[in-house]
């Protein structure tokens, strides 16, 4: 189906699209909003350029897609608990998101989507990489898919957030005393597209339920390596006032910190999601590979 109110330019055939012809700081008409939502579901991650917005406008845009999520460990700007600052400079000892992950998958109902806007970018580098979990699932063998469909995995926030809570930075009532930890299906059915996707990530997933430790570690290592293959990826090169809007239900992302000691800075607004589920009737996709493809070095 085509778009009437926005222009959608695909970045790769598997995922990612740049959206043009819309000013997100303004209140959008319902049909434009519906097209943006369709573009997100169709492309898994969408990108916008030249979006000059206040924090209130950023939050207002996010709220059109659902209630906003409060991050369990954010140091939010005064008066904006739903805003997660993303910042790195010469004093940073780590950056948020420098590992393949879906946002806050340790929550019982992990965020549906995240909207990140950067106002300061390094001269070059600082890209965000996205990996399609539909494509990663589609590329598995039928037998591996069948096995994984019966599996659940534990997603824990403990190793990710421990330092924050100890210094009293946790800001959600449910996470003042305990680190979020929940079990989710390893194969997740997308509630809007109906497609099956792989739902484990190296940021939060700690073990596969019911396997012994060695088995679980080996399987997770295989899946994390599988997800990291470039054939499932697209890569976004930021400019000042760019926005990336990704669907956490079917993509993972990785923030590349190759620009030290330069500054990269912005804000993320995150939209609440639902409890992940597996539906055996979900849609099985196909990887669009050339039929006689052989891999060889050039
Ligand atoms: C994140 O939200 O995980 C950070 C992404 C980025 O900084 O590109």
């Amino acid at each position: 189906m085509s778009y009437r109110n926005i222009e959608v330019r695909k970045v790769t055939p598997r995922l990612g699209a740049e959206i043009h012809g819309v000013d997100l700081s303004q209140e959008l008409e319902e049909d434009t909003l519906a097209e943006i939502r369709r573009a997100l579901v169709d492309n898994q991650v969408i990108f916008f350029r030249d979006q000059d917005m206040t924090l209130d406008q950023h939050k207002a845009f996010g709220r059109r897609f659902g209630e906003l999520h409060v991050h369990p460990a954010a140091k939010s700007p005064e008066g904006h608990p739903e805003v997660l600052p993303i910042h790195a400079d010469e004093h940073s000892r780590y950056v948020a998101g420098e590992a393949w992950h879906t946002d806050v998958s340790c929550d019982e109902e992990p965020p549906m989507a995240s909207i990140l806007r950067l106002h300061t970018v390094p001269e070059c580098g600082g890209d965000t990489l996205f990996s399609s979990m539909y494509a990663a699932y589609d590329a598995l063998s039928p037998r591996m898919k069948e096995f994984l469909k019966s599996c659940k995995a534990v997603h824990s926030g403990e190793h990710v957030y421990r330092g924050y809570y100890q210094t009293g930075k946790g800001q959600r009532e449910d996470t003042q005393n305990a680190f979020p930890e929940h079990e989710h299906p390893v194969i997740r059915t997308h509630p809007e597209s109906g497609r099956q996707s792989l739902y484990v990530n190296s940021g939060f997933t700690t073990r596969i339920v019911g396997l012994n430790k060695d088995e679980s570690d080996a399987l997770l290592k295989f899946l994390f390596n599988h997800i990291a293959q470039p054939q499932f990826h697209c890569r976004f090169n930021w400019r000042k006032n760019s926005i990336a809007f990704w669907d956490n239900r079917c993509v993972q992302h990785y923030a590349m910190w190759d620009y030290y000691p330069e500054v990269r800075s912005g804000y993320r607004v995150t939209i609440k999601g639902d409890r992940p589920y597996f539906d055996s009737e979900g849609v099985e996709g196909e990887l669009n590979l050339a039929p006689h493809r052989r891999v060889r070095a050039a």
Side-chain angles (χ1 to χ4, degrees), residues 86 96-97 101 103 116 128 238 246 253 255 264 268:
I86 297 289
H101 67 289
D103 293 325
L116 174 62
T128 307
W238 292 88
W246 60 87
H253 56 287
R264 179 181 184 274
R268 193 181 94 192

Side-chain angles (χ1 to χ4, degrees), residues 20-28 48 50-53 61:
H20 293 268
V22 65
D23 177 354
L24 304 182
S25 68
Q26 301 305 306
E27 181 154 343
L28 301 175
F48 301 85
D50 303 318
Q51 301 291 333
D52 196 2
M53 299 169 102
F61 175 61

Side-chain angles (χ1 to χ4, degrees), residues 80-95:
H80 299 281
E82 319 88 336
V83 172
L84 174 70
I86 297 289
H87 179 86
D89 60 30
E90 62 182 312
H91 304 295
S92 301
R93 291 170 55 203
Y94 67 90
V95 298

